Amino acid sequence: MTSRNGGSIHVARELDFGGDADLAWVFDKLHQLPNCIWLDSASDNQFDRGRYSFLSADPVAWCSADMDSPDPWPVLHEWCRKLQHLVPPHLVPPHDEATSDLPPFWGGIAGLLAYESAWWLEPSLRPTNSPRTDPIPGLAIGLYDWTFAVDHQTKQTWLLSTGLSETFDLDRHRAIERADQVMRWLDGDGSYPSSSNLADATQHDVTSQPPPKPQRDPRNEGVTSNFTDDSYAAAVQDIVDRICSGDSFQVNLAQTLTHEATCKPEELYTRLRAINPAPYAAYFDAGDYHVLSSSPEGFLQVRSDDAGDRSVVTRPIKGTVAKTEDDQQNERLGAVLLASEKDRAENIMIVDLMRNDLSRVCTDESVQVTKLCELERYQSVQHLVSTVRGTLDSDATVADLLAACFPGGSITGAPKVEAMRTIAHLERRPRGPYCGSLGYISLSGAADFNILIRTVTQRTVSTGESIWEFPVGGGITARSNPERETEETWVKAASLLEAITSAG
């Protein structure tokens, strides 16, 4: 174990876990800590998008809000400004040799933007005559002062402790004490804090919604949906008609599957990451609910270069076929996907939308498409993926970037606001964490957020029953076939269903 000090890191202990660079056993020890978050690159470690994993808990400050609470975006903006002021440009990697080899998340802001938090950004989206009485999750973020960080490429693991306080001060003595405390927790020697020990009380309770009434004969035992196959196909046709009438170009439609929770959230997440490992997988204890995700899709990534410029990358996914155990079949399916005019058009429309969103906070002419409709293979599916890059304006924060781009266009459609109105009308229920985003804004100046697809939310409903909710959907264009789109949702649900129906 070694210690390195420099820049804004007071404690950076490289840990020798016997060559094991997987944080699964750390999670097993520490998941009971308040607001545990595990940003888990469970696959694709050979690529930058899956290179790092981070685990933290027990934040020094906490802010959560449901959709009936006051707008929490100003809190996120304030936290980002304060965090950014702690990182002078000359200390941001790679300028500081003492920290240049560390993973990008040292500690800072981490948590969830649920899909409906867009209502605060665009108030016209908020229903005016909804009979809903139960609160909807909106935002849950913590200020985390320490993290376990893994570089899967180099097989190195660190415990990073910043000494960050709820007043955004950095203290070396506190950093050392916290690092020692975390190691005692890991060794099982020391009492665990409770949620009441959080330093900041900026918190609003989020109560649960009642379980949906099943409206179909589920094809999987114990699974219900807010659609039948026929009604989902009819909703797809409705969108096609709207597109042909000029209302929009593309709309993402999802059905929400529900199942009784038969095990603890940490157990289901362990099962899910084994069945469907993904580069943007995550576990998050938001207090009143848990988010368990095996997402393959990144939303926004921020990195600083040698000149101090902050590069932004977004990688929209549109276009899906199955991945089988037959390599030749996978090649055939992949070739069909690459040749699909419908899927390419769907992807390109979202690329244009993301270019427009990035241009609101990036420097002139810096926004470029560097990859278009490339085939990527994951555990159970193959996707068309594009890459859009830009350079963040010098006076913009990551909160400004999130506000300009949220929610990701790949899970709304285009134009974004009109697509979201159509989604709300046809789905008739809030999405919650699904299609929102989970990630971090680091003291290092870096940031990473995913898009929460392939995601389960575990929560307790008013009856006292614990349930799993896991929406699945896809983008609808004028060329969409209702029956094929319906079947695609079940292809996407396959790995989630395998984990859920085998649990307990």
Side-chain angles (χ1 to χ4, degrees):
M1 181 181 297
T2 62
S3 179
R4 181 190 299 107
N5 300 300
S8 298
I9 290 283
H10 286 303
V11 176
R13 298 176 181 173
E14 187 173 349
L15 307 175
D16 183 4
F17 291 154
D20 186 358
D22 188 347
L23 292 174
W25 76 275
V26 177
F27 175 70
D28 185 57
K29 294 274 190 176
L30 302 184
H31 65 78
Q32 67 266 49
L33 289 170
N35 307 119
C36 178
I37 185 168
W38 184 11
L39 304 174
D40 178 23
S41 295
S43 73
D44 287 349
N45 300 146
Q46 69 270 35
F47 301 111
D48 179 64
R49 65 177 178 269
R51 180 173 175 177
Y52 303 106
S53 292
F54 307 97
L55 189 148
S56 188
D58 190 30
V60 298
W62 179 253
C63 175
S64 68
D66 61 52
M67 293 311 304
D68 292 321
S69 304
D71 182 359
W73 278 89
V75 175
L76 179 57
H77 282 283
E78 180 186 6
W79 283 14
C80 277
R81 284 191 296 270
K82 289 180 176 179
L83 202 66
Q84 191 163 298
H85 289 158
L86 289 175
V87 192
H90 68 281
L91 293 182
V92 177
H95 306 287
D96 179 8
E97 292 181 0
T99 57
S100 61
D101 59 345
L102 293 177
F105 183 46
W106 304 348
I109 303 164
L112 167 77
L113 293 170
Y115 175 82
E116 277 77 27
S117 63
W119 291 358
W120 287 305
L121 300 173
E122 179 54 62
S124 68
L125 291 171
R126 185 182 290 270
T128 57
N129 57 353
S130 172
R132 174 186 56 85
T133 58
D134 296 305
I136 302 167
L139 174 147
I141 55 173
L143 188 63
Y144 293 83
D145 61 321
W146 61 269
T147 184
F148 283 101
V150 167
D151 184 334
H152 293 287
Q153 188 175 94
T154 64
K155 307 298 183 185
Q156 292 173 285
T157 303
W158 289 268
L159 172 58
L160 308 177
S161 183
T162 64
L164 183 64
S165 74
E166 69 274 15
T167 57
F168 288 81
D169 295 316
L170 298 173
D171 180 81
R172 174 177 170 78
H173 179 69
R174 172 183 159 79
I176 294 171
E177 283 192 338
R178 280 287 270 179
D180 292 343
Q181 180 184 46
V182 171
M183 291 307 297
R184 289 194 298 272
W185 289 338
L186 195 62
D187 293 337
D189 180 17
S191 61
Y192 293 105
S194 66
S195 298
S196 61
N197 290 340
L198 293 176
D200 187 277
T202 314
Q203 184 168 356
H204 305 273
D205 290 334
V206 181
T207 57
S208 300
Q209 303 171 46
K213 295 180 180 179
Q215 298 184 24
R216 63 183 302 277
D217 265 335
R219 61 177 71 188
N220 295 276
E221 185 177 355
V223 176
T224 62
S225 173
N226 60 325
F227 285 96
T228 65
D229 282 355
D230 288 343
S231 66
Y232 187 87
V236 171
Q237 185 60 55
D238 187 324
I239 292 172
V240 171
D241 294 342
R242 290 169 185 250
I243 292 171
C244 292
S245 298
D247 289 353
S248 54
F249 303 109
Q250 179 182 330
V251 176
N252 185 285
L253 181 70
Q255 61 170 319
T256 296
L257 308 180
T258 304
H259 190 282
E260 176 190 1
T262 57
C263 68
K264 295 179 179 179
E266 62 270 16
E267 296 173 7
L268 178 63
Y269 181 69
T270 299
R271 189 185 304 273
L272 185 60
R273 78 185 296 263
I275 290 173
N276 190 41
Y280 295 99
Y283 170 98
F284 182 45
D285 173 5
D288 295 291
Y289 54 95
H290 291 75
V291 180
L292 324 171
S293 180
S294 57
S295 175
E297 185 166 2
F299 179 30
L300 294 167
Q301 181 187 84
V302 179
R303 295 289 186 272
S304 296
D305 62 18
D306 290 326
D309 292 329
R310 291 171 296 165
S311 174
V312 180
V313 177
T314 185
R315 303 181 69 254
I317 291 177
K318 274 297 161 195
T320 304
V321 293
K323 178 173 173 283
T324 71
E325 296 181 359
D326 184 332
D327 289 341
Q328 290 185 339
Q329 176 70 353
N330 289 334
E331 291 289 341
R332 287 192 292 269
L333 290 171
V336 170
L337 181 58
L338 283 168
S340 168
E341 290 185 13
K342 178 262 182 187
D343 289 300
R344 290 183 66 86
E346 187 179 341
N347 193 295
I348 291 168
M349 276 189 280
I350 300 306
V351 166
D352 286 341
L353 188 155
M354 293 308 299
R355 288 175 60 190
N356 181 69
D357 285 351
L358 286 181
S359 69
R360 297 165 60 189
V361 288
C362 288
T363 58
D364 293 341
E365 300 180 356
S366 70
V367 180
Q368 297 181 349
V369 180
T370 57
K371 295 181 180 179
L372 186 64
C373 296
E374 294 194 351
L375 185 69
E376 293 187 3
R377 291 188 172 94
Y378 295 87
Q379 192 73 12
S380 59
V381 294
Q382 303 178 77
H383 289 302
L384 290 184
V385 185
S386 296
T387 302
V388 187
R389 297 178 179 271
T391 301
L392 199 61
D393 284 332
S394 59
D395 59 348
T397 68
V398 176
D400 295 323
L401 173 65
L402 288 166
C405 298
F406 188 83
S410 65
I411 45 75
T412 60
K416 184 182 289 187
V417 172
E418 181 60 32
M420 293 178 73
R421 290 195 182 102
T422 300
I423 289 167
H425 175 72
L426 293 176
E427 293 183 9
R428 305 184 307 280
R429 58 170 297 135
R431 288 180 167 184
Y434 173 72
C435 287
S437 187
L438 189 64
Y440 70 82
I441 304 166
S442 176
L443 193 61
S444 72
D448 274 290
F449 283 83
N450 71 1
I451 287 183
L452 286 170
I453 57 175
R454 318 290 195 277
T455 294
V456 179
T457 300
Q458 181 164 336
R459 61 186 180 85
T460 303
V461 296
S462 56
T463 61
E465 178 189 22
S466 182
I467 64 168
W468 292 320
E469 292 177 324
F470 45 111
V472 285
I476 312 303
T477 70
R479 294 186 176 95
S480 290
N481 177 283
E483 286 71 31
R484 288 191 200 132
E485 294 293 343
T486 303
E487 185 57 35
E488 183 177 307
T489 67
W490 292 103
V491 170
K492 292 175 177 176
S495 59
L496 297 176
L497 288 167
E498 183 179 355
I500 282 168
T501 57
S502 62

